[in-house]
Amino acid sequence: MGWNLIVRVTGLVVVALLLLLLSEFVVKAEPAHTLLHEIGFAFIVSAVLWLVFELHLSNKSEKTWEGRIDNIIQNVFLGVLRKDLPKGLIDEVQRVILDAQFVRRQYRIEYRLKDATFAATPQTQSDCVEMVVRLSYKLTNITKQILPLELKITLPNPIHPALKTFNQVQSFKVFREGKEIALDLSQARAGFQKALKDDTTTEVPFVLPEIQIGPGHEISVEAEYAMAKEAEDSELLEMLYPGDGLEMTIDDRGVAGRRLVYARSVHRVGIEADVSAINPETKYLRIEDYVLPSQGVLVWWKRTPPAPATTLPSGQGGLHQAQKE
């Protein structure tokens, strides 16, 4: 429904109200009084019917155009790829890729594993792993309009109360053109602590205040946070936005040889991996192809078995390629 129609309907309603006011307060003599009143009332009814009719046509037209767009998309895939792809598959491609509003680049993340303990009972201490995470990336609005952006970090919620103290977001910063955007994190921290105390939830979100990103504009994000992990555990890094690849560092700062650390890509291509020449407990991983939402890297670690001769050395890291399924 365009502005032209709105102006016309508004004008019709104004005229109707004027006629009704004239009939009520100015023209008292018959038959002019009744005539003005009936015409004014008829104009209001006409305005309502006009709006209902136009809204119906607008909705019908919108559905028609949506159907035509779907047909065009299907024909484009058929014409370019020469494949008659199922509609459900095309819809998923559109949701994951074609409907993307933000694209990420230069995604870098570091996992630092540290030996720690927690009070499993008042009398006993159990081993755990403190995982400290540092990440940075750039995010670009690829649309032609200003978009709201609500960034967040989501940490797992430990079952044991003593492990909850490890979960912290030390810093979460956003930069625009090299200057940090001033953000009030009080509500984010309060919401994080409230969710952490809720044992019915498995995830604890730290949600930044909403910011506006202009068309084609780019922001930079830097964050550092920590969480508790079991002595044998895993961490799944999952992308929320499509990006031009990722770089990961796994730095095991625990007792040398205590753990075997593994990783595999959740992606159609495997991980390119290097081991630090200075510290074999440090691994550098890369995926140099575009990484789509819900793709990423799975990292896990196991205690080194008592017979090291039958296992991979810790320095080799047991880094796996992705399996194609």
Side-chain angles (χ1 to χ4, degrees):
M1 187 169 61
W3 282 106
N4 190 29
L5 175 62
I6 294 176
V7 171
R8 290 183 180 182
V9 172
T10 302
L12 185 60
V13 171
V14 169
V15 171
L17 291 175
L18 288 175
L19 292 175
L20 290 174
L21 289 173
L22 285 173
S23 67
E24 186 69 23
F25 299 105
V26 179
V27 180
K28 300 290 186 178
E30 295 290 351
H33 168 77
T34 302
L35 182 63
L36 289 176
H37 184 273
E38 293 300 326
I39 293 176
F41 184 75
F43 278 4
I44 289 180
V45 172
S46 299
V48 172
L49 292 176
W50 194 358
L51 278 176
V52 171
F53 181 71
E54 287 294 336
L55 286 173
H56 175 73
L57 287 181
S58 177
N59 291 335
K60 186 176 180 181
S61 176
E62 185 175 345
K63 291 180 181 179
T64 301
W65 276 108
E66 287 178 355
R68 290 177 180 176
I69 290 171
D70 287 341
N71 291 334
I72 290 171
I73 293 174
Q74 182 111 18
N75 291 334
V76 166
F77 276 98
L78 179 61
V80 174
L81 302 180
R82 301 191 180 282
K83 293 180 181 178
D84 188 10
L85 299 178
K87 183 179 183 304
L89 179 58
I90 294 175
D91 290 343
E92 186 64 18
V93 170
Q94 182 165 347
R95 282 191 292 267
V96 174
I97 303 174
L98 302 182
D99 288 344
Q101 297 178 319
F102 298 96
V103 169
R104 188 153 47 188
R105 66 185 186 91
Q106 296 181 15
Y107 188 94
R108 297 183 177 91
I109 188 167
E110 176 188 358
Y111 288 150
R112 186 183 304 163
L113 307 181
K114 302 166 63 176
D115 295 330
T117 60
F118 70 100
T121 68
Q123 294 79 28
T124 60
Q125 293 284 319
S126 295
D127 292 336
C128 68
V129 173
E130 181 183 7
M131 175 178 275
V132 179
V133 184
R134 291 180 177 177
L135 64 84
S136 64
Y137 58 84
K138 299 181 185 297
L139 197 67
T140 303
N141 177 1
I142 60 173
T143 72
K144 299 298 183 183
Q145 56 187 343
I146 299 174
L147 293 178
L149 177 64
E150 191 176 72
L151 296 168
K152 68 178 179 178
I153 294 172
T154 303
L155 305 186
N157 194 2
I159 297 176
H160 199 289
L163 291 175
K164 294 177 183 287
T165 59
F166 289 91
N167 281 27
Q168 297 179 10
V169 177
Q170 283 90 1
S171 65
F172 199 170
K173 300 178 180 179
V174 182
F175 301 86
R176 181 183 280 125
E177 296 180 350
K179 297 181 180 179
E180 184 178 353
I181 301 174
L183 298 173
D184 182 3
L185 302 184
S186 57
Q187 290 188 0
R189 298 192 184 281
F192 181 84
Q193 292 300 322
K194 181 179 179 181
L196 193 61
K197 296 175 183 177
D198 184 1
D199 293 330
T200 64
T201 181
T202 59
E203 295 183 337
V204 185
F206 189 99
V207 185
L208 288 188
E210 186 179 279
I211 58 177
Q212 301 294 317
I213 309 296
H217 290 185
E218 181 180 77
I219 61 168
S220 300
V221 178
E222 296 178 2
E224 181 174 350
Y225 55 95
M227 53 186 160
K229 291 288 186 177
E230 301 287 345
E232 293 188 346
D233 210 333
S234 63
E235 172 68 10
L236 175 61
L237 173 65
E238 225 176 353
M239 296 293 103
L240 180 61
Y241 304 103
D244 64 349
L246 66 86
E247 296 180 10
M248 174 184 290
T249 301
I250 304 175
D251 185 8
D252 189 351
R253 298 196 174 186
V255 175
R258 173 175 291 189
R259 284 179 288 271
L260 291 173
V261 180
Y262 301 85
R264 61 156 290 180
S265 66
V266 185
H267 195 275
R268 67 174 183 83
V269 300
I271 293 173
E272 294 186 21
D274 296 314
V275 176
S276 170
I278 300 176
N279 180 10
E281 305 298 331
T282 301
K283 290 93 180 172
Y284 304 106
L285 318 177
R286 293 183 306 278
I287 297 178
E288 296 188 341
D289 285 41
Y290 261 81
V291 183
L292 302 179
S294 298
Q295 293 182 339
V297 177
L298 174 63
V299 179
W300 73 99
W301 52 92
K302 298 288 185 180
R303 293 180 187 270
T304 303
T310 62
T311 65
L312 287 172
S314 176
Q316 292 183 9
L319 300 173
H320 286 220
Q321 298 285 319
Q323 299 175 356
K324 294 183 178 179
E325 300 175 346

